[in-house]
């Protein structure tokens, strides 16, 4: 009753002398509610013990297992084979450094992105362990959380036309992160600082608006809304800059 | 072999490890963090429901304070906890929540005015106070007298981990990810660092340090069917056990969470029941009030899981091709609640099992979830038996959880222990000297390269994945929610046989680099030995306490078993050595938990006599002196001032 699935998987081990990128084909019997987490483990444990890929939580929250599944970047753990054709093509995410087969180094890229954006609360206040917490409106907390939900899987960057041309482009994940801190009243960065950070070709003006990021984001982040918020802010920023020049 | 040095080495970069690293970096020390995965992918990120801290801002948390939190924690532990450590935790949890707010966590906040909530199956209106508007709010969780669990929707671990990692990036703390510690370097009872394998290219590197801390999380994956991330294979506790000097404590204390979904075993948070979700049986009948009239669905996890299993055994389970299960009913919470405050739960149900919780019942069953046991440490987080080695978070048995931990207490523990133990690590390192003895590092490094060579070239025929599955089967069949002497004997014998086969594991994958099969093979001895300690410890403990339920010894026996199991595995020995120590100084005398039923055998010592022997007996088993004497953090009998059961929530 079950189908026999054919997996065509990109293989390349950069640590192995004379290895060349190639495609290996595996057959696997489909079982009910089979997802790619289980399927890849079955292939590794029974057919290809050296097959490289990344899973951690296998529950769609840690962001480890993004890969190109039939040409589309998404999370492997929550992809059911029943939603796919008999032949399933798996490639690593483009853009990121390849570590081997389906495993790419998203961790280092996102760490670097956090450094570039100074992805932390900028404040001069010191924490006072004896004081009550600073109050925040719950609606504001929810708004921050909407952007904070990004799991850094890299799907948006892999799907982004600009990122493939400009490797320094911050991508939807980077812009979303900026939005997250712009929304946050605890962050004291002003419009001028934001303007310098994002009003460049690698920032918000590098985006050409194709919004593939929005199509593929596994967490359905409100990327359109965040981008337009940043653009509006930046337009305000331009006005500020012009006014300051006029004054001189 | 490359040798790298730092003042402090932290193995594991989830919440506990990162917070401890930050403490050392703040003290001006040079810190290196190692992690199997990029820090933000650590299992901490998967924690959903929240963190317990007695801020008492919500109207349903009114009157809460650290003493009430401490009382709930000690009762939840079935008196197995170290009461002083539970006190240190409860006192610091509110500070840790506020600190995380300062670091950027968007905690959900109190909204003034009326709102509808579900309490014990009934729709009720509560009115939040204007004066607390904007402060950190809380939801209800199991085994608590107050609403105390601080949260960001159902993505709490994620937001706290991101805030913590942001700070680690800001402070420029060195992180080497995709690195696995294979053994500890030690000499003359002092830990000097670790031998580490790169999971990028297979390189073996020695990291030497003044202080080393293990914060690698639990060992849930030994059970196969577990809510844990697949990296939780007990790697950190294994490197401690491997020294032959450091004991693992209470390994038989394993938590089964009531709501793992069927199939896939992914967790849906206790917040589901905290927010009003109900458990139903095959007849769609709500059975928990029959067993637990007072707490109902929100008794402690050990109790709810036991009741669920009991109900299934009465023939009230739902049959499925994945075995029997029960239902979690969230439908009445409504679409808005399920797509905001329980959004991850909604996504998990939709994506992984094709169930829409707005309209349909969610299939659940008790699933392995948490390791109360782990590397035995004193109240400073300093590991017994080896100076300069610390452990914190789930991998440690610090021991605020005893034989059952409360929901929301472990995620809170990560940041509280990170703060408290983090400072102790820093002060230890400030007073210690770095002795980068390369000869010593090479000796330990060679043991690992020899082992790798053996795994790749021996003539054995054992398949590492088959052995892993056999271990899981034995634990699942015999060391689960209900345990018997007969079943545990089977597990112990089976695991003993598996231990004999571990050396015949042959790695088929010969390619250099990441080699995932080799990684698994390097872990398998540790998995087998820890499974053995879990099963044997459970066999030896002839009582029922918290999550350890012996059908043949149903009573909690405070006369003979008000103690903590310690297991040490001397190098070359066939068997681990089991010893027992007092749980710690008692302030709240053992009594009834207020839920769960069960019988008790009273202790025959007076509290004073029990307390008088604690320090000496623990020292005899390897406890280091603490920076402050034992008992200084317990405000004696403060609990007498509280009447958490007078104001029912």
């Amino acid at each position: 009753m079950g189908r026999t699935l054919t997996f065509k998987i990109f293989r390349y081990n950069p640590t192995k002398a004379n290895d060349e990128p190639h495609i290996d084909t595996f057959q696997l019997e489909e079982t009910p509610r089979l997802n790619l987490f289980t399927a890849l483990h079955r292939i590794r444990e029974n057919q290809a013990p050296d097959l490289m890929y990344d899973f951690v939580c296998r529950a769609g929250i840690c962001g480890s297992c993004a890969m190109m599944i039939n040409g589309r970047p998404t999370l492997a753990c929550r992809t059911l084979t029943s939603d796919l054709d008999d032949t399933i093509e798996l490639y690593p995410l483009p853009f990121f450094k390849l570590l081997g087969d389906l495993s790419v180094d998203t961790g280092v890229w996102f760490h670097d992105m956090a450094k570039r954006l100074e992805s932390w609360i900028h404040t001069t206040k010191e924490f006072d362990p004896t004081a009550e917490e600073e109050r925040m409106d719950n609606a504001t907390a929810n708004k921050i959380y909407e952007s904070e939900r990004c799991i850094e899987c890299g799907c948006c960057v892999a799907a982004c036309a600009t990122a493939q041309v400009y490797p320094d482009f911050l991508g939807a994940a980077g812009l979303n992160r900026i939005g997250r801190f712009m929304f946050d009243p605890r962050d004291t960065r002003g419009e001028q600082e934001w303007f310098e950070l994002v009003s460049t070709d690698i920032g918000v003006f590098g985006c050409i608006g194709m919004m593939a990021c929005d199509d593929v984001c596994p967490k359905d982040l409100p990327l359109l809304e965040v981008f337009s918020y940043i653009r509006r802010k930046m337009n305000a920023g331009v006005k500020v800059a012009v006014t300051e020049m006029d004054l001189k | 072999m490359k040798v790298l040095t730092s003042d402090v080495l932290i193995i594991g970069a989830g919440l506990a490890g990162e917070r401890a690293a930050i403490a050392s970096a703040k003290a001006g020390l040079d810190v290196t963090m190692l992690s199997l995965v990029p820090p933000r992918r650590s299992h901490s990120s998967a924690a959903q429901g929240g963190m317990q801290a007695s801020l008492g801002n919500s109207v349903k948390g009114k009157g809460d304070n650290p003493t009430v939190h401490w009382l709930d924690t000690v009762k939840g532990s079935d008196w197995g906890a170290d009461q002083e450590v539970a006190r240190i935790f409860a006192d610091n949890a509110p500070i840790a929540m506020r600190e995380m707010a300062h670091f950027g966590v968007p905690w959900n906040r109190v909204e003034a005015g009326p709102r509808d909530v579900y309490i014990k199956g009934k729709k009720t209106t509560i009115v939040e106070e204007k004066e607390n508007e904007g402060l950190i709010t809380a939801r209800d969780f199991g085994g608590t007298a107050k609403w105390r669990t601080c949260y960001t929707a159902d993505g709490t671990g994620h937001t706290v981990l991101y805030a913590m990692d942001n700070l680690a990036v800001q402070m420029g703390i060195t992180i080497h990810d995709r690195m696995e510690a294979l053994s500890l370097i030690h000499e003359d009872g002092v830990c000097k660092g670790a031998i580490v394998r790169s999971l990028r290219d297979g390189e073996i590197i020695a990291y030497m340090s003044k202080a080393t801390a293990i914060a690698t999380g639990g060992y849930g994956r030994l059970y196969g069917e577990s809510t844990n991330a697949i990296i939780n294979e007990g790697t950190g506790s294994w490197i401690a056990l491997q020294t032959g000097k450091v004991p693992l404590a209470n390994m038989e204390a394993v938590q089964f969470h009531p709501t793992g979904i069927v199939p896939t075993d992914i967790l849906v948070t206790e917040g589901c029941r905290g927010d009003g979700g109900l458990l139903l049986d095959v007849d769609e009948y709500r059975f928990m009030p029959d067993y637990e009239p007072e707490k109902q669905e929100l008794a402690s996890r050990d109790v709810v899981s036991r009741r669920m299993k009991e109900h299934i055994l009465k023939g009230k389970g739902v049959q499925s091709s994945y075995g029997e299960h029960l239902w979690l009913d969230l439908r009445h919470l409504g679409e808005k609640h399920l797509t905001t405050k329980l959004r991850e739960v909604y996504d998990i149900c939709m994506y992984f099992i094709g169930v829409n919780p707005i309209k349909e019942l969610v299939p659940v069953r008790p699933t392995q979830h948490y390791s109360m046991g782990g590397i035995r440490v004193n109240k400073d987080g300093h590991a017994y038996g080896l100076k300069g080695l610390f452990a914190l978070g789930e991998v440690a048995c610090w021991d605020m959880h005893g034989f059952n931990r409360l929901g929301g207490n472990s995620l809170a523990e990560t940041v509280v222990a990170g703060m408290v133990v983090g400072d102790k690590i820093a002060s230890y390192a400030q007073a210690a000297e770095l002795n980068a003895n390369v000869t010593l590092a090479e000796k330990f490094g060679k043991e690992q390269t020899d082992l790798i060579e053996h795994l790749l070239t021996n003539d054995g025929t054992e398949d590492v994945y088959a052995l892993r599955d056999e271990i899981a089967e034995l634990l699942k069949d015999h060391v689960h929610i209900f345990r018997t002497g007969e079943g545990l004997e089977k597990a112990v014998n089976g695991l003993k046989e598996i231990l004999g086969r571990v050396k015949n594991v042959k790695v088929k994958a010969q390619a250099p680099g990441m080699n995932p099969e080799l990684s698994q093979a390097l872990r398998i001895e540790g998995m087998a030995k820890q499974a053995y300690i879990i099963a044997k410890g459970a066999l030896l403990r002839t009582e029922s306490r918290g999550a350890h339920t012996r059908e043949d010894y149903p009573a909690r026996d405070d006369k003979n078993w008000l103690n903590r199991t310690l297991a040490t595995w001397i190098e070359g020995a066939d068997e681990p050595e089991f010893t027992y120590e007092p749980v710690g100084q008692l302030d709240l005398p053992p009594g009834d938990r207020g839920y769960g039923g069960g019988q008790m055998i009273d202790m025959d010592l007076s509290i004073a006599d029990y307390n008088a022997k604690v320090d000496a007996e623990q020292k005899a088993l390897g406890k280091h002196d603490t920076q402050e004497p034992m008992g200084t953090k317990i405000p004696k009998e403060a609990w007498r001032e509280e009447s958490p059961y007078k104001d029912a929530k």
Side-chain angles (χ1 to χ4, degrees), chain A residues 45 56 58 62 64 105-106 119 133 135 138 148 152 180 186, chain B residues 41 98 101 104 109 131 133 136 158 166 178 200 226 230 468:
Chain A
E45 291 176 16
V56 179
R58 61 79 174 90
C62 76
S64 301
D105 204 343
T106 46
S119 159
E133 64 270 26
R135 290 177 192 240
N138 195 46
E148 184 86 321
E152 301 194 345
R180 180 251 173 270
R186 293 168 292 195
Chain B
R41 314 227 186 278
R98 289 174 175 143
R109 303 295 178 133
E131 63 176 39
E133 186 155 54
I136 299 169
H158 170 87
N166 282 337
R178 295 175 184 265
R200 294 161 188 270
S226 166
I230 62 167
R468 176 202 63 188

mmCIF file of all heavy atoms in Angstrom, chain A residues 45 56 58 62 64 105-106 119 133 135 138 148 152 180 186, chain B residues 41 98 101 104 109 131 133 136 158 166 178 200 226 230 468:
data_model
loop_
_atom_site.group_PDB
_atom_site.id
_atom_site.type_symbol
_atom_site.label_atom_id
_atom_site.label_comp_id
_atom_site.label_asym_id
_atom_site.label_seq_id
_atom_site.Cartn_x
_atom_site.Cartn_y
_atom_site.Cartn_z
ATOM 1 N N GLU A 45 21.042 5.310 8.660
ATOM 2 C CA GLU A 45 21.312 4.152 9.521
ATOM 3 C C GLU A 45 21.319 2.835 8.756
ATOM 4 O O GLU A 45 21.873 1.847 9.231
ATOM 5 C CB GLU A 45 20.311 4.134 10.680
ATOM 6 C CG GLU A 45 20.598 5.296 11.618
ATOM 7 C CD GLU A 45 19.618 5.453 12.770
ATOM 8 O OE1 GLU A 45 18.874 4.501 13.049
ATOM 9 O OE2 GLU A 45 19.622 6.534 13.378
ATOM 10 N N VAL A 56 18.207 19.013 15.306
ATOM 11 C CA VAL A 56 18.394 19.098 16.754
ATOM 12 C C VAL A 56 17.052 18.829 17.447
ATOM 13 O O VAL A 56 16.833 17.770 18.007
ATOM 14 C CB VAL A 56 18.998 20.444 17.206
ATOM 15 C CG1 VAL A 56 19.139 20.467 18.729
ATOM 16 C CG2 VAL A 56 20.379 20.653 16.575
ATOM 17 N N ARG A 58 13.992 18.548 16.148
ATOM 18 C CA ARG A 58 13.057 17.822 15.279
ATOM 19 C C ARG A 58 11.583 18.210 15.544
ATOM 20 O O ARG A 58 10.676 17.423 15.340
ATOM 21 C CB ARG A 58 13.295 16.298 15.322
ATOM 22 C CG ARG A 58 13.131 15.568 16.663
ATOM 23 C CD ARG A 58 11.656 15.307 16.986
ATOM 24 N NE ARG A 58 11.429 14.523 18.154
ATOM 25 C CZ ARG A 58 11.285 15.015 19.389
ATOM 26 N NH1 ARG A 58 11.379 16.315 19.613
ATOM 27 N NH2 ARG A 58 11.032 14.209 20.396
ATOM 28 N N CYS A 62 14.149 24.819 16.450
ATOM 29 C CA CYS A 62 15.567 25.169 16.624
ATOM 30 C C CYS A 62 16.192 25.741 15.359
ATOM 31 O O CYS A 62 17.237 26.378 15.419
ATOM 32 C CB CYS A 62 16.369 23.966 17.095
ATOM 33 S SG CYS A 62 16.705 22.774 15.788
ATOM 34 N N SER A 64 17.574 24.177 12.737
ATOM 35 C CA SER A 64 18.780 23.505 12.235
ATOM 36 C C SER A 64 18.633 22.892 10.848
ATOM 37 O O SER A 64 19.611 22.767 10.125
ATOM 38 C CB SER A 64 19.177 22.359 13.177
ATOM 39 O OG SER A 64 19.414 22.838 14.459
ATOM 40 N N ASP A 105 26.670 25.866 7.273
ATOM 41 C CA ASP A 105 27.062 26.582 8.485
ATOM 42 C C ASP A 105 26.209 27.832 8.688
ATOM 43 O O ASP A 105 26.690 28.958 8.556
ATOM 44 C CB ASP A 105 28.543 26.943 8.420
ATOM 45 C CG ASP A 105 29.128 27.146 9.803
ATOM 46 O OD1 ASP A 105 28.342 27.325 10.745
ATOM 47 O OD2 ASP A 105 30.368 27.116 9.929
ATOM 48 N N THR A 106 24.956 27.643 9.017
ATOM 49 C CA THR A 106 24.105 28.808 9.292
ATOM 50 C C THR A 106 24.507 29.462 10.611
ATOM 51 O O THR A 106 24.385 30.671 10.762
ATOM 52 C CB THR A 106 22.620 28.400 9.381
ATOM 53 O OG1 THR A 106 22.511 27.237 10.206
ATOM 54 C CG2 THR A 106 22.053 28.096 8.015
ATOM 55 N N SER A 119 23.039 43.151 17.632
ATOM 56 C CA SER A 119 21.716 42.615 17.942
ATOM 57 C C SER A 119 21.566 42.415 19.450
ATOM 58 O O SER A 119 21.523 41.302 19.944
ATOM 59 C CB SER A 119 21.581 41.287 17.181
ATOM 60 O OG SER A 119 20.604 40.468 17.729
ATOM 61 N N GLU A 133 10.937 45.418 37.885
ATOM 62 C CA GLU A 133 11.253 45.502 36.454
ATOM 63 C C GLU A 133 10.635 46.755 35.831
ATOM 64 O O GLU A 133 9.608 47.239 36.312
ATOM 65 C CB GLU A 133 10.752 44.253 35.708
ATOM 66 C CG GLU A 133 9.240 44.035 35.696
ATOM 67 C CD GLU A 133 8.751 43.199 36.886
ATOM 68 O OE1 GLU A 133 9.423 43.200 37.929
ATOM 69 O OE2 GLU A 133 7.690 42.558 36.758
ATOM 70 N N ARG A 135 8.362 48.714 33.446
ATOM 71 C CA ARG A 135 7.066 48.279 32.904
ATOM 72 C C ARG A 135 7.069 48.332 31.383
ATOM 73 O O ARG A 135 7.804 49.126 30.786
ATOM 74 C CB ARG A 135 5.949 49.150 33.463
ATOM 75 C CG ARG A 135 5.749 48.861 34.948
ATOM 76 C CD ARG A 135 4.701 49.747 35.588
ATOM 77 N NE ARG A 135 4.794 49.596 37.026
ATOM 78 C CZ ARG A 135 3.793 49.152 37.798
ATOM 79 N NH1 ARG A 135 2.618 48.852 37.284
ATOM 80 N NH2 ARG A 135 3.954 49.013 39.103
ATOM 81 N N ASN A 138 1.746 45.376 27.301
ATOM 82 C CA ASN A 138 1.725 43.999 26.779
ATOM 83 C C ASN A 138 1.650 43.960 25.249
ATOM 84 O O ASN A 138 2.219 43.064 24.624
ATOM 85 C CB ASN A 138 0.570 43.198 27.383
ATOM 86 C CG ASN A 138 0.749 41.710 27.157
ATOM 87 O OD1 ASN A 138 1.839 41.179 27.378
ATOM 88 N ND2 ASN A 138 -0.287 41.045 26.687
ATOM 89 N N GLU A 148 10.701 38.465 17.180
ATOM 90 C CA GLU A 148 11.663 37.649 17.930
ATOM 91 C C GLU A 148 11.487 36.158 17.634
ATOM 92 O O GLU A 148 12.362 35.354 17.912
ATOM 93 C CB GLU A 148 11.456 37.915 19.430
ATOM 94 C CG GLU A 148 12.432 37.231 20.360
ATOM 95 C CD GLU A 148 13.716 38.019 20.578
ATOM 96 O OE1 GLU A 148 14.224 38.613 19.621
ATOM 97 O OE2 GLU A 148 14.172 38.043 21.729
ATOM 98 N N GLU A 152 16.200 31.658 12.813
ATOM 99 C CA GLU A 152 17.509 31.685 12.151
ATOM 100 C C GLU A 152 17.772 30.409 11.354
ATOM 101 O O GLU A 152 18.873 29.869 11.356
ATOM 102 C CB GLU A 152 18.631 31.932 13.173
ATOM 103 C CG GLU A 152 18.441 33.249 13.918
ATOM 104 C CD GLU A 152 19.658 33.725 14.701
ATOM 105 O OE1 GLU A 152 20.581 32.905 14.920
ATOM 106 O OE2 GLU A 152 19.688 34.909 15.082
ATOM 107 N N ARG A 180 12.921 44.208 15.111
ATOM 108 C CA ARG A 180 12.686 43.742 16.480
ATOM 109 C C ARG A 180 13.245 44.735 17.516
ATOM 110 O O ARG A 180 12.605 45.005 18.532
ATOM 111 C CB ARG A 180 13.320 42.354 16.656
ATOM 112 C CG ARG A 180 13.160 41.740 18.037
ATOM 113 C CD ARG A 180 14.514 41.742 18.769
ATOM 114 N NE ARG A 180 14.366 41.315 20.155
ATOM 115 C CZ ARG A 180 14.121 42.150 21.168
ATOM 116 N NH1 ARG A 180 13.953 43.454 20.950
ATOM 117 N NH2 ARG A 180 14.010 41.716 22.400
ATOM 118 N N ARG A 186 13.168 49.584 25.063
ATOM 119 C CA ARG A 186 14.353 49.509 25.928
ATOM 120 C C ARG A 186 15.626 49.863 25.171
ATOM 121 O O ARG A 186 16.650 50.178 25.758
ATOM 122 C CB ARG A 186 14.493 48.091 26.510
ATOM 123 C CG ARG A 186 13.385 47.733 27.473
ATOM 124 C CD ARG A 186 13.369 46.252 27.808
ATOM 125 N NE ARG A 186 12.998 45.433 26.649
ATOM 126 C CZ ARG A 186 12.630 44.154 26.708
ATOM 127 N NH1 ARG A 186 12.579 43.543 27.873
ATOM 128 N NH2 ARG A 186 12.312 43.486 25.612
ATOM 129 N N ARG B 41 20.616 26.941 18.803
ATOM 130 C CA ARG B 41 19.913 25.709 18.445
ATOM 131 C C ARG B 41 19.890 24.726 19.617
ATOM 132 O O ARG B 41 19.418 23.610 19.489
ATOM 133 C CB ARG B 41 20.582 25.058 17.242
ATOM 134 C CG ARG B 41 20.910 26.032 16.102
ATOM 135 C CD ARG B 41 20.478 25.497 14.768
ATOM 136 N NE ARG B 41 20.880 26.298 13.629
ATOM 137 C CZ ARG B 41 20.238 27.375 13.193
ATOM 138 N NH1 ARG B 41 19.167 27.822 13.845
ATOM 139 N NH2 ARG B 41 20.654 28.017 12.128
ATOM 140 N N ARG B 98 13.819 39.358 36.168
ATOM 141 C CA ARG B 98 13.973 40.804 35.921
ATOM 142 C C ARG B 98 15.260 41.077 35.156
ATOM 143 O O ARG B 98 15.299 41.961 34.293
ATOM 144 C CB ARG B 98 13.982 41.553 37.254
ATOM 145 C CG ARG B 98 12.614 41.550 37.901
ATOM 146 C CD ARG B 98 12.666 42.168 39.279
ATOM 147 N NE ARG B 98 11.328 42.274 39.843
ATOM 148 C CZ ARG B 98 11.062 42.091 41.128
ATOM 149 N NH1 ARG B 98 12.030 41.792 41.983
ATOM 150 N NH2 ARG B 98 9.824 42.212 41.569
ATOM 151 N N ALA B 101 14.608 40.403 31.655
ATOM 152 C CA ALA B 101 13.845 41.515 31.064
ATOM 153 C C ALA B 101 14.810 42.636 30.681
ATOM 154 O O ALA B 101 14.706 43.233 29.607
ATOM 155 C CB ALA B 101 12.802 42.025 32.051
ATOM 156 N N GLY B 104 16.508 41.924 27.544
ATOM 157 C CA GLY B 104 15.724 42.049 26.315
ATOM 158 C C GLY B 104 14.592 41.060 26.106
ATOM 159 O O GLY B 104 13.948 41.077 25.063
ATOM 160 N N ARG B 109 3.095 40.705 29.705
ATOM 161 C CA ARG B 109 2.909 41.646 30.812
ATOM 162 C C ARG B 109 1.460 41.654 31.292
ATOM 163 O O ARG B 109 0.546 41.250 30.562
ATOM 164 C CB ARG B 109 3.292 43.057 30.341
ATOM 165 C CG ARG B 109 4.720 43.178 29.796
ATOM 166 C CD ARG B 109 5.730 42.927 30.878
ATOM 167 N NE ARG B 109 7.107 42.997 30.396
ATOM 168 C CZ ARG B 109 8.058 43.678 31.040
ATOM 169 N NH1 ARG B 109 7.798 44.340 32.140
ATOM 170 N NH2 ARG B 109 9.295 43.666 30.570
ATOM 171 N N GLU B 131 -2.669 48.689 39.266
ATOM 172 C CA GLU B 131 -1.350 49.074 39.802
ATOM 173 C C GLU B 131 -0.227 48.134 39.325
ATOM 174 O O GLU B 131 0.945 48.480 39.414
ATOM 175 C CB GLU B 131 -1.389 49.133 41.333
ATOM 176 C CG GLU B 131 -1.689 47.786 41.967
ATOM 177 C CD GLU B 131 -1.623 47.818 43.498
ATOM 178 O OE1 GLU B 131 -2.068 48.824 44.065
ATOM 179 O OE2 GLU B 131 -1.135 46.849 44.083
ATOM 180 N N GLU B 133 -0.191 46.860 36.164
ATOM 181 C CA GLU B 133 -0.172 46.855 34.701
ATOM 182 C C GLU B 133 1.252 47.064 34.185
ATOM 183 O O GLU B 133 1.990 47.924 34.674
ATOM 184 C CB GLU B 133 -1.083 47.956 34.150
ATOM 185 C CG GLU B 133 -1.202 47.897 32.636
ATOM 186 C CD GLU B 133 -2.500 48.525 32.140
ATOM 187 O OE1 GLU B 133 -2.760 49.686 32.502
ATOM 188 O OE2 GLU B 133 -3.245 47.836 31.432
ATOM 189 N N ILE B 136 5.705 41.939 34.719
ATOM 190 C CA ILE B 136 5.765 40.585 34.154
ATOM 191 C C ILE B 136 4.614 39.758 34.711
ATOM 192 O O ILE B 136 4.440 39.661 35.927
ATOM 193 C CB ILE B 136 7.114 39.912 34.484
ATOM 194 C CG1 ILE B 136 8.274 40.710 33.874
ATOM 195 C CG2 ILE B 136 7.130 38.468 33.989
ATOM 196 C CD1 ILE B 136 9.656 40.280 34.373
ATOM 197 N N HIS B 158 12.996 29.950 23.733
ATOM 198 C CA HIS B 158 13.534 30.612 22.535
ATOM 199 C C HIS B 158 13.897 32.066 22.819
ATOM 200 O O HIS B 158 15.013 32.507 22.547
ATOM 201 C CB HIS B 158 12.501 30.506 21.408
ATOM 202 C CG HIS B 158 12.803 31.339 20.211
ATOM 203 N ND1 HIS B 158 13.590 30.896 19.172
ATOM 204 C CD2 HIS B 158 12.443 32.606 19.887
ATOM 205 C CE1 HIS B 158 13.690 31.849 18.259
ATOM 206 N NE2 HIS B 158 12.995 32.898 18.659
ATOM 207 N N ASN B 166 22.450 37.005 22.587
ATOM 208 C CA ASN B 166 22.755 38.379 22.165
ATOM 209 C C ASN B 166 23.792 38.996 23.094
ATOM 210 O O ASN B 166 24.738 39.643 22.649
ATOM 211 C CB ASN B 166 21.489 39.244 22.188
ATOM 212 C CG ASN B 166 20.594 38.993 20.978
ATOM 213 O OD1 ASN B 166 21.055 38.533 19.938
ATOM 214 N ND2 ASN B 166 19.316 39.296 21.119
ATOM 215 N N ARG B 178 29.734 23.200 17.089
ATOM 216 C CA ARG B 178 29.986 21.906 16.453
ATOM 217 C C ARG B 178 31.257 21.261 17.028
ATOM 218 O O ARG B 178 32.159 20.842 16.295
ATOM 219 C CB ARG B 178 30.062 22.047 14.938
ATOM 220 C CG ARG B 178 28.727 22.483 14.316
ATOM 221 C CD ARG B 178 28.857 22.735 12.843
ATOM 222 N NE ARG B 178 27.634 23.245 12.244
ATOM 223 C CZ ARG B 178 26.704 22.488 11.640
ATOM 224 N NH1 ARG B 178 26.849 21.188 11.572
ATOM 225 N NH2 ARG B 178 25.634 23.036 11.118
ATOM 226 N N ARG B 200 33.025 19.371 12.689
ATOM 227 C CA ARG B 200 33.147 19.859 11.307
ATOM 228 C C ARG B 200 34.111 18.991 10.519
ATOM 229 O O ARG B 200 33.820 18.574 9.419
ATOM 230 C CB ARG B 200 33.677 21.293 11.292
ATOM 231 C CG ARG B 200 32.730 22.298 11.890
ATOM 232 C CD ARG B 200 33.483 23.579 12.258
ATOM 233 N NE ARG B 200 32.584 24.443 12.996
ATOM 234 C CZ ARG B 200 31.789 25.347 12.419
ATOM 235 N NH1 ARG B 200 31.840 25.546 11.130
ATOM 236 N NH2 ARG B 200 30.974 26.061 13.139
ATOM 237 N N SER B 226 11.328 10.178 23.466
ATOM 238 C CA SER B 226 11.582 11.262 24.403
ATOM 239 C C SER B 226 11.189 12.567 23.748
ATOM 240 O O SER B 226 11.245 12.703 22.528
ATOM 241 C CB SER B 226 13.077 11.284 24.752
ATOM 242 O OG SER B 226 13.416 12.489 25.396
ATOM 243 N N ILE B 230 17.519 15.649 19.764
ATOM 244 C CA ILE B 230 18.284 14.427 19.506
ATOM 245 C C ILE B 230 19.735 14.519 19.993
ATOM 246 O O ILE B 230 20.440 13.523 20.037
ATOM 247 C CB ILE B 230 18.246 14.012 18.016
ATOM 248 C CG1 ILE B 230 18.888 15.079 17.132
ATOM 249 C CG2 ILE B 230 16.817 13.745 17.576
ATOM 250 C CD1 ILE B 230 19.151 14.561 15.726
ATOM 251 N N ARG B 468 22.039 1.181 20.243
ATOM 252 C CA ARG B 468 21.285 2.329 20.771
ATOM 253 C C ARG B 468 19.800 1.963 20.920
ATOM 254 O O ARG B 468 19.179 2.247 21.941
ATOM 255 C CB ARG B 468 21.453 3.513 19.814
ATOM 256 C CG ARG B 468 20.646 4.746 20.174
ATOM 257 C CD ARG B 468 20.442 5.630 18.951
ATOM 258 N NE ARG B 468 19.664 4.925 17.936
ATOM 259 C CZ ARG B 468 19.453 5.359 16.698
ATOM 260 N NH1 ARG B 468 19.982 6.487 16.286
ATOM 261 N NH2 ARG B 468 18.735 4.658 15.842
#
